[in-house]
Every structure is written in C-alpha cells, then in structure tokens.
Amino acid sequence: MLHSLPGNYSDLVVTGDDEGIFGVDAQFLYALKPLDREKQPSYSLQVSFRTSVHRQSFTVEVCVIDKNDNVPTFIEESMRGSVQLGLLKGIPFMQVEALDRDDRNTAHAELRFRLMEQTPRIPSSQMFFIDSISGEVSLTDEGASTLDPEMCGRYKLSVMVKDMAGKANAFFTTGIVTVEVTGNTWASPDPVRLQENLPGPYPIPISQVKWSGSQAEYSLEGEFPEMLFTISREGVIYLNAPLDRETQDQFQISIVVERPDGREIAKPVELRVMVGDANDNRPTFPQAQYHTVVKELAARGTEILTVQAADNDDPKTDNVRIFYRLVGQIPESPRALFRVDRDSGVISVQADSMEGTAPQYTLTITAEDAKGLNSSCTVVVTVQDENNNPPVFSQHEYGPFHIPENAPVGTTVTAVLAGDADVRGGDSWQVDYRLESGNEEEVFTLVTDKQTNEVTLVLSKVLDFERESEYILVLSAQNPVALVRGRYGPASTATVSIYVDDVNEGPILSQSHYEVTVREGEEPGRVIATIRGYDPDSHPIRYSLQGDTKKYFSIGKYSGELKTVQALDREENSTYTMEVIAVDGRNSSLSASTLVTVQILDVNDNSPVLVGDYSWKYLCTPRWEDQALVLASRDSDGPQHGGRLNFSLRSDATVRRNWKLTPINDTHTNLSLNIPYLAPEVYTVPFTISDSSSPPRSTFINLPVTVCPCNVRGNCKMAAKQLQGMPTIQSAVGILLGTFAVIGTILIVVFVRLSYQNPKQPSKTNQERVPLKISI
C-alpha cells in the first residue's frame, strides 16, 4: 500500500520496471510475475501522479527476500590435490571449494563440508580429515604416521557439501577428490665436518635442505651462539664465524619448516656439524704450584709427586701428546737431587739420600706439546726430618737439691734439658720426659716447655720429713715418635737427687668440726667430748677455748677434754658454738683450730600454762548457737615434749554436764555450754592442760566464766542480786535515789556508745573467732 499518496491524486503511473513485473491500482503496488532474488535482488520504482496543481513522483525500493531454492555446487568438477610424505597432522595440503547462489547473509548459503568415504581404506580407513567450514583437507594422526606412497599412491575421497549449516533438511551435493601421495626431499642432510678456525671469508655455505611441497619458510634451532648458523629462504645453511673445538666440538642443529602463517609443516630434520681439531692450545697444569714432602732417608728412585698437564686439543690426535722437563731448582745443589719422567710427569729422588740437604726446594717443571707450545708450574718439596737422633742429657747426675718440708705445692725443684740433633720443632726433635723410678707416690711432676724442650721438676704433694727425707729420681728422655735408626742408651737417662730439710710443724687436729649433744639439766663437770690432735714433731700440745662468753664449758689444757661447767637450759639457749685452739708446746706461733657445736637436748621440765585474759568474756544463756570461748595455752619445752596440748574437764558429773571442750589445734580449744540453759552467774570451770610427753606434765586451772542473759545484739545483761537484811526507809530512799542516778548514768553511756557502734547479732557466729595462732 502506497501511504505517500495524497487524497486528491489522479493519473497514477509506475516506471522503472522494464520487464513489467509490478502494477499499481488504488494505492496498492502489486507483483504481476514471480520474483527471482538470484536474478535481481532489488528494484527501484518511480511512482508518479497528478494533483490539481501539477504532477509529482516518489521512489519505492523493493527488496526480494531470499528463499533456499538453490543447491550448493563445487567450483571445480574435477578436484585434485597432492600430499607430501612427512606432512604433519592438521596441516592442510588442499582446499575444496563450493558456492551457493542463495543469500550469503542467511543460513541458506552457509555451507558445511563432510568427508563421506575414502578409497582405498589402507593402511587405515581414516587417513584424511576435511574442515567442515573451510573445506581444507589435511592428514589425521593415522594418516601422518602411516602415509606410504609405495603402499598406496592415490586416494579418492567422496566429499559432501550442504547448505543451511548442514541441517537435515538442507540441499547437498557430493563430489570426488583425488589425492596423489608424493615423496619428499625433506630429510636430514648428511653430517658436516668443519675444521676449527677456518680462515673464511664468511658466511660459508655448509649444507642445504628443501621442502618439496607448498611454499615454506625455514628456521634453525639448537645449542649454539646466536647467528653462528643461519638458513636462507632457499634452505641453504651458512656458517657465519670461526669455530672453536675446545669450546664446542659438535653441534646438533634442528631445521624447522613452517607455513607462512607460522604453523609447522613437518617434523624438524637434524644437521650434525662436527668440528675438527687444530693444534692451537698449549698444555696447562691444573694448578700453578704444588706442595709435597719427601723423607730425608728416602732411597734413590722414591716417587714423591706426579704432575700432569692438560691439553684442550683433540685427545684422539697427537696434538695432546705432552713432554715434561725439570728446568730449575732453588736452592741449587752440587749433586742432582730430583728428576722428572719425560712422558709420565713422575717426580722422584735422584740422589742416594736426602740427609744433609736443605729443608726445602722449589722445582720448576715445564710441559710442552709436539708443536712446541708449553707452560710451567712450580713444585715445593719439603724434606721431612726423620727421627734418627735420640735425645741426650748433658750430664748423668743432677743435684743434690735441698727443699724444706713445708715448701708449697708447685715449688720448682730444678730444670734440665736433653738435647736432640734432629730438626728443631719437629716430632723427631720433641722430647717426652718420664720419671722411671723414685716417684712411686707421685710427690713430683714434670712440666715440659714444648718450645725449648726444657723440663721442670715440680713439687705436686706436701713433703713430710718425718716420713721421707730423701728422693732419688731416675729421669728418662724419649721422642714421641719411634727412632728410625739406633736405640736409646744411658745418655738418655739421668739421676736427680733431692734432700728434704726438716721444719718445725704445727699441731694437726683430727677433725675440722665437732658435733656434740648434751641433755639439758645435765650435772656439771661431765666430759662431753675429747678434742684429739697430734704434732708431727712429737711436741706437746696445749688446748684452749674461744667464743664461750658465758663460761659454760672448760677444756683440759693437755688432755683436750671438753666439760660442762654448769647445768644447761635448752629453753635459754639450744645451741652453743665455740672454737678450740691447739698450740705447739714449743712454738706458740704454730697452732690449729676446730669448731665445736653443742646441741642441747630437750627435757620435759616445763608444764603447759593457760595464756590470755578471760575476765571480760561471757557466754549467753539460753545458749547461743556456735558461741564459745577460745582458750589458748603454751609449753616452753620443744615439740618432742610440748607438741599437742590436751584440755580435759575435771571428772565431775555436774561439770561435764554443764560444759564442753572442743579442740581447735595443738594449742587452742573452744569452751562452750553443753546444755541449752544455765542460770546466769559467774561459774568456776575446773580443767587440766597436759603436754604430749610420756609421762606428761599437767597444770590444773579454775577458770571463772560469766554466764548471763543477752539482748538481741549479743550484749550481756546481768540480773540484780537481792540485798541481805531489811532496809530502813531512809536507806531505801537513799538507795532508790542512788539507783536512779546510776541507771541514768548507765543509760547515757549506753546511748552514747550505741551511736558509735552497731554490734551484730551473734546467732550464727562465735562470740570469738578461732585464731590460727596466738602471740604469747
């Protein structure tokens, strides 16, 4: 319908349709014939009309909508391709092309390819693959690995193409693709042998490869410096710099072939490049200097060291043959001492003996190859001293030496030396000294100076003239290593004589501390200990006491008997410590001392006593729950006799009915009412306190205890006692007035005190708390 027409139009005409396909009538544009999009996909029509004024026109574009009415067809009727041996899986070697005349922008022309059948089906039925969208044909895994032109040189592939993206109701066409299997020149080239240090000019072509199929590009991979080897577009491989066999004697080069898009076409092939040797390396020693040792008694021909140089040239050639020479020796000597084997590099002793030579030599050794290239090293040879000389004393006897018996431990008696002719400082020169006899009790010891070999005889125990006044010591000298030649003789032994000089010595006490025990109250004059001492010189000893300030003890001047002067009381002092001095009878400056500790043993000589003031305390009646008086006691004796103190009521029925004692701990007990009610009064409670000794000591106590009625606050309120006799009126009035005055005073005091305190009701607590301990 033509909506652009005005209401008053006339003479409606359509132009631009040469084939007369369209017509117009009453504002409607219609087709007179079927439309074919493949013939003409669109039409541009001009519609003109006349109005009352003039003639007008407008354009109408007609687009033909596509319909799937065309079957896809292959572009080539005879489709052929060739596949090269060695081609990798997935690399296309040809492309099948088809077209569909339907609209390309719709699914009608969306083509899909499919491989229907392969003939023949050898060596596998699935040798090829076709890409469903692009139509590219490539090899499968089986095809790439088993393709063999000798087994099958030609395959026919039945290929289908469908439109509608391959849907079931799509149009399709089939065709035959012929694939020729061809050989390939793509193979590993022969190994190449190149001489090192080639003179050039570079680059030098060394090999060539060629991919015989489609267009290809080449590249090289491997362990070699960048740009040492390159390959051209034509597959020619070049060497771009001289080679060094000693750096790398061969190269394994992988040659990669790829399509222009970078996809690898075939497996890489290998080129092996071997580098030939040229004698361009001098022999070198692994170290510039060697150190070795030769014994001074080594025989002619003794091997002392092998030096070997290395040549980096090819070991399979004569370029690495090395000759050794001894070219220098420091210091020089009139006779030949060393030689080196020309071929092996073994250095050995040339002289008959190394005795009397220098302690060290420096040799210069050269290594030279067949071309005359050479290098050198130094060998430091140390001549090792051997123990062929024993140590010898300068004299056979030393002494006699005098030493006082009171000489302190560590005193030096003498120092001697045994000389050794071997090289100073070595094991063959060092001397071990021993006391072979005369020192069985180890009174002396030897101290050796390793720097000088001098030995010092030192006192290691206290001397006693009365026991031993003379020592004859036999001293021997030997090396710590065995003698190589000869043996030890009398010259390696010496005698040392020592006399001990007598010195007056002080007394010696048998003990450094005495522990003595005495029972308290022991009768004075009893011997409680005997201090024993002796004098090495058999002089008499005098004893005295120090530190006994109260003069409780005495000691026998010559007997050493320690006695008590008066009876001792443990409760006064349980321990006494004093010092006993023993003095030489002939020289008062020589003395010895010992400590004496006297422990006083406890005796049950004290009875337990009640402690504390109970006159102000009271018990409530009727009895208040848990109310009690806490009674404290003590015993001056020790725990053995004092120990636990026992409280017990007198064996009286009334007392035991009215009162009860409950122990709290070893020194405290609770006194409480045993009955619910006891008339208010001051009672005397009789009980006994006993200690834990056997037999025990006891104390009898009559304790006044106030029993009174109490108010709700636990305060005692005693009832007034009746007056004896008949009072007069005047006395009654006076008593009454006096009583009122006293009561008033008491009330004032009570109210004042109540304003400062608010006592708690003792119904559920003791009147007194139980103490953990009491201070006496």
Side-chain angles (χ1 to χ4, degrees), residues 124-151:
S124 168
S125 61
Q126 297 179 351
M127 299 285 287
F128 301 93
F129 170 80
I130 187 169
D131 187 282
S132 62
I133 297 176
S134 66
E136 292 179 333
V137 182
S138 59
L139 291 173
T140 63
D141 269 336
E142 293 182 4
S145 59
T146 62
L147 192 67
D148 185 356
E150 295 184 1
M151 179 179 295

Side-chain angles (χ1 to χ4, degrees), residues 610-612 614 617 628-633 647 649 660-662 664-665 667-672 685 687 689 701 703 705 768 771 774:
L610 185 70
V611 295
Y614 303 93
K617 299 185 179 181
L629 300 182
V630 178
L631 306 181
S633 62
F647 292 76
L649 295 168
K660 180 174 65 174
L661 292 172
T662 306
I664 299 174
N665 52 35
T667 59
H668 292 71
T669 191
N670 278 333
L671 173 63
S672 60
V685 180
F687 59 89
I689 307 174
I701 308 292
L703 180 66
V705 178
E768 298 177 3
I774 185 168

Side-chain angles (χ1 to χ4, degrees), residues 472-485:
I472 305 298
L473 308 178
V474 176
L475 179 63
S476 68
Q478 294 185 6
N479 298 121
V481 296
L483 279 172
V484 177
R485 292 190 302 203

